Amino acid sequence: MTRKEEIIKVAAELIREKGYVGLSMRDLAKAIGVKAASLYNHIPSKQAILSELILQLAEDFTSQIQGVAKEDSSSLDKLKKIVEHHLGLSLHYPNELAVLNNEWTHLNGEALQDFKFKRSQYEEELRQIINYGKTNNELKPLHTELVLFSMLSTLRNLNLWIKKRSSIPAEQLKNELVEVLLKGIS
Amino acid sequence: MTRKEEIIKVAAELIREKGYVGLSMRDLAKAIGVKAASLYNHIPSKQAILSELILQLAEDFTSQIQGVAKEDSSSLDKLKKIVEHHLGLSLHYPNELAVLNNEWTHLNGEALQDFKFKRSQYEEELRQIINYGKTNNELKPLHTELVLFSMLSTLRNLNLWIKKRSSIPAEQLKNELVEVLLKGIS
DNA sequence: GTCTATAAATAGATAGAC
DNA sequence: GTCTATCTATTTATAGAC
């Protein structure tokens, strides 16, 4: 791991804890074991840490869903794959995901535009999968936006919840999550 | 509305927008039309604004769910009332709810303890309603924590979503939300 | 109850030695 | 590539005039 990668990784952990504005370059440097000035040999600004962190992950999400969308399978199978991918990222990058969810508002300029574009791309792909499922009678004729919103709310909060309750094996968690999200609880 | 109430209301809006750490007392004062020093005639500190804002709303949630829990009705009816209450608060206090959701980590000392206590009280009441529904065969025998988490994720994000899509009438939104959360989408 | 002025601390970032 | 020292701006909060 390069020093730059180390900076971004440690920053993800601390931004999650204190928020982007609440984390100072001095605190970040201390956690790594250098002085604040040394950070600037590897990154141009505090903003650049946030941008790189968030946009890398956003790109991962967008490219995954675009891959799934192209597949020749049912809407339910596509939705399952999307749930699985969210779960995988929540397990491997909980800090980065928390930062993406909660701190994207502190992005500026081009990075902010880029993030919003990727996010709306993601939502649009998911919307189309849901709509296709409705025409197909795989899904109930509910408001697409409500289904989209409900699914994304749960998926986006997975990382928060996994930390607290890791007693469920990953495979069982995946299956029950699909059941809860797609088939309901009652 | 007293000046203190005005300060807290405007603060909710601006904290939602910029985050607690990102909002300065100067910005807050400017939005109200006074100088920063004048704020301290009505509130003792910036922290106190955050505490009052969050704890008022948390108290509302906790006392409501405790009222519902005592009622002599089915689990599904109780869950419906909880959904309705979340929806009502999301419509009336979107800014305050966003602050509660995203900025509670910046609470200190006793206020932080108080918040955590109220939140765990709320979750415990909801957990018991879900468990009772399971023994009753009103709900599927899924992991209680997963059902709890999934419901709360959607309910906590309602305020974000309502802003974007207010095209659905409130009554229909309530009914579909109950359908999505309790009976599933497929 | 609001103002001006200011204290004391801390922020992001840069210059230049090593 | 890391350091010390420092610049400049901004932060929360207080003192005291009006």
Side-chain angles (χ1 to χ4, degrees), chain B residues 25-26 37 40 46:
Chain B
M25 295 297 274
R26 283 171 181 78
Y40 290 90
K46 191 186 175 187

Side-chain angles (χ1 to χ4, degrees), chain A:
Chain A
M1 192 162 52
T2 65
R3 183 121 269 192
K4 182 178 173 179
E5 289 167 337
E6 186 189 4
I7 290 171
I8 292 178
K9 192 188 154 196
V10 175
E13 191 181 331
L14 295 178
I15 293 174
R16 175 180 190 234
E17 201 179 299
K18 301 156 177 272
Y20 173 72
V21 188
L23 173 66
S24 71
M25 295 299 274
R26 285 170 179 77
D27 287 343
L28 175 56
K30 199 168 199 171
I32 291 173
V34 297
K35 296 292 177 182
S38 306
L39 298 176
Y40 290 90
N41 236 278
H42 305 94
I43 48 99
S45 67
K46 191 186 177 188
Q47 260 291 315
I49 299 177
L50 187 68
S51 311
E52 208 150 320
L53 193 50
I54 290 180
L55 292 178
Q56 268 178 21
L57 200 54
E59 175 58 32
D60 184 322
F61 273 114
T62 305
S63 63
Q64 192 264 350
I65 203 170
Q66 286 172 341
V68 169
K70 278 182 207 153
E71 290 177 11
D72 183 25
S73 57
S74 70
S75 286
L76 283 178
D77 279 343
K78 286 179 179 175
L79 292 175
K80 271 184 206 172
K81 284 193 179 158
I82 290 165
V83 171
E84 279 178 48
H85 192 245
H86 261 273
L87 190 55
L89 290 183
S90 298
L91 289 166
H92 285 94
Y93 306 103
N95 297 323
E96 287 78 359
L97 260 166
V99 172
L100 181 146
N101 281 335
N102 304 322
E103 307 294 329
W104 66 266
T105 45
H106 296 107
L107 290 173
N108 285 332
E110 203 181 338
L112 180 60
Q113 296 309 110
D114 199 4
F115 172 77
K116 286 184 175 175
F117 181 69
K118 284 189 166 67
R119 188 183 56 174
S120 69
Q121 268 189 314
Y122 188 88
E123 291 178 357
E124 183 55 26
E125 295 287 1
L126 187 49
R127 190 175 286 121
Q128 283 180 20
I129 293 172
I130 293 169
N131 276 332
Y132 187 70
K134 280 164 68 180
T135 63
N136 235 7
N137 288 327
E138 289 183 80
L139 300 180
K140 292 185 193 168
L142 296 162
H143 244 80
T144 300
E145 292 307 312
L146 183 55
V147 174
L148 178 66
F149 153 74
S150 178
M151 275 196 68
L152 283 179
S153 293
T154 296
L155 293 178
R156 282 177 179 155
N157 281 289
L158 265 177
N159 64 312
L160 286 179
W161 181 72
I162 283 176
K163 273 227 164 173
K164 287 197 289 186
R165 310 272 159 190
S166 55
S167 57
I168 314 176
E171 186 65 18
Q172 190 188 342
L173 178 57
K174 192 193 75 187
N175 292 334
E176 285 216 5
L177 191 56
V178 168
E179 175 91 8
V180 168
L181 285 177
L182 304 182
K183 297 180 191 164
I185 65 175
S186 68

